[in-house]
Structures are given as C-alpha cells and as structure tokens.
Amino acid sequence: MGEFFVYSFFAGTILFLFPVFLYVDAYADVSGNRAWFCISLFHKLKLFGGYAEIRTEGFVFHLTKKKAILLQYSEMAAARKQFEITQGFQLWRYHQIVETDGANEPKGVLIAAFLTLAAGAVFSVLRENRNFLSLKNRSLLHNERCLKISVRAAVVFNGLVLAIALTKKMLEGLMEWIKRSTESWKKRQKN
C-alpha cells in the first residue's frame, strides 16, 4: 500500500510539472466577415471551436449550431482584464499567413513587402528574450480582391502554473464577493 502511494505521488508530481501545449488555430476572411477558430490541447484534444463574426451589437462567437456568445463592444475592456495572462504562460509558436489581392499590381507587392517587414521587426524583438520561439510569416498574393489571415499559435504552461492562475481567479472572485457582501451589510445597517 505504501509503494502505491509513493509511486502515485511521484507520478502526480511529474504530471503537475509536465509541459502542456495549448494550440490556437484561426482563419479569418475579412470580406466574408467571419473568423473560424479551434482551441486544442497538444493539437489532439479539441477543447472548443467555432466561428466568430462582427455585428452591430458586438462580436458573436458561435460555439455550436445552437449556442452563441455575444461580446458587446462596451464589455470588451472588462473582458480583457478577465483574461489577463500570467508570466507562466509562454508563447511557444506563432505562424501566420496573410493572403491579399494585387498579384499583378505593384500595390500588392508593396503590401506583401510591408507585412513581411513589419512581422520581421516584431519577431526580432520577440526573439531577443525568447530564442526558443518559433515564428513564421508568409504573404500570398491573389488576382481577386481578398484579405484572409491564417494563424497557428501555441502556448506552453504546466499544471502548477494553471493551478496558480485558477487560485488567483478564485481569490479575486472571493474578494469581490466579500466586498459586495460588506457593502450590502453596511446599507442594511444604515436602514
């Protein structure tokens, strides 16, 4: 019985420290006003996916045929604070392909050159501190009008970092609940 406990403890510790790769695959068609996305673990286990579109009310994320989430423009600042990334989540891979029109025109070549130059400048700054980072940028030119963007990104973390982030979020929620409870209690005291 004691051996099982020791082996399970060490196996749990190794799994807790084992790196986890979270992949995000996205494809946006600007002329079609849609963006498809998929979030998966190790590129094998799909967590969720769907497509998003821009409407007058805000961004609509369609997760299934019957389920959609509306993120209003007014709520975007608060939503950004909710998804704050901690230091333990490291960008490991970022690959993008930008497809645009102008294959037979000088403006298309200038757009592709500018995109390559801008991505090279950003990538060189990112690679300064993170030499393990895999960064790729490609530009494709088409004859017809289009603007399409494909992105494949991966973030690496471990179970310990995830547990710390979840604990932080739970404590923030608890503090907010305590704050609201004390405010309502003080209002009752005054009445």
Side-chain angles (χ1 to χ4, degrees):
M1 182 71 176
E3 289 179 358
F4 175 74
F5 176 74
V6 171
Y7 289 139
S8 62
F9 174 76
F10 283 117
T13 303
I14 288 171
L15 287 176
F16 205 56
L17 299 175
F18 189 75
V20 177
F21 292 91
L22 182 73
Y23 283 86
V24 177
D25 295 315
Y27 174 75
D29 184 4
V30 176
S31 63
N33 191 24
R34 289 209 175 166
W36 292 265
F37 61 93
C38 177
I39 299 176
S40 61
L41 286 174
F42 299 106
H43 232 205
K44 302 286 184 214
L45 179 66
K46 179 181 172 184
L47 298 177
F48 62 91
Y51 70 93
E53 59 184 340
I54 300 173
R55 299 239 176 121
T56 57
E57 305 89 27
F59 292 101
V60 180
F61 295 95
H62 298 271
L63 301 176
T64 63
K65 290 183 179 181
K66 295 182 179 181
K67 184 177 180 182
I69 298 171
L70 173 66
L71 179 61
Q72 296 179 350
Y73 296 121
S74 59
E75 297 174 355
M76 288 181 70
R80 193 185 85 213
K81 291 178 185 175
Q82 288 179 349
F83 295 106
E84 179 183 332
I85 301 294
T86 63
Q87 290 284 32
F89 294 90
Q90 295 291 324
L91 183 64
W92 181 66
R93 170 189 284 173
Y94 183 83
H95 297 178
Q96 75 177 12
I97 299 172
V98 179
E99 301 176 43
T100 185
D101 59 344
N104 296 326
E105 300 174 15
K107 75 168 188 161
V109 176
L110 286 174
I111 290 171
F114 175 75
L115 290 173
T116 303
L117 181 67
V122 171
F123 289 175
S124 65
V125 171
L126 290 174
R127 291 282 307 241
E128 184 70 28
N129 295 329
R130 297 175 179 94
N131 58 359
F132 59 87
L133 195 56
S134 172
L135 301 166
K136 291 184 183 176
N137 177 47
R138 302 286 184 263
S139 297
L140 299 176
L141 297 174
H142 291 279
N143 289 329
E144 67 266 358
R145 288 188 61 84
C146 70
L147 180 57
K148 300 174 184 176
I149 303 167
S150 300
V151 172
R152 174 172 281 175
V155 176
V156 65
F157 57 94
N158 60 20
L160 180 63
V161 169
L162 187 61
I164 290 171
L166 290 175
T167 303
K168 177 183 171 189
K169 288 296 178 188
M170 289 188 331
L171 288 176
E172 287 174 357
L174 179 65
M175 294 297 289
E176 185 64 30
W177 178 78
I178 290 172
K179 182 180 175 184
R180 284 184 298 190
S181 299
T182 56
E183 287 174 357
S184 65
W185 183 73
K186 287 179 183 179
K187 287 180 183 177
R188 285 189 221 153
Q189 289 284 350
K190 289 181 181 178
N191 294 334

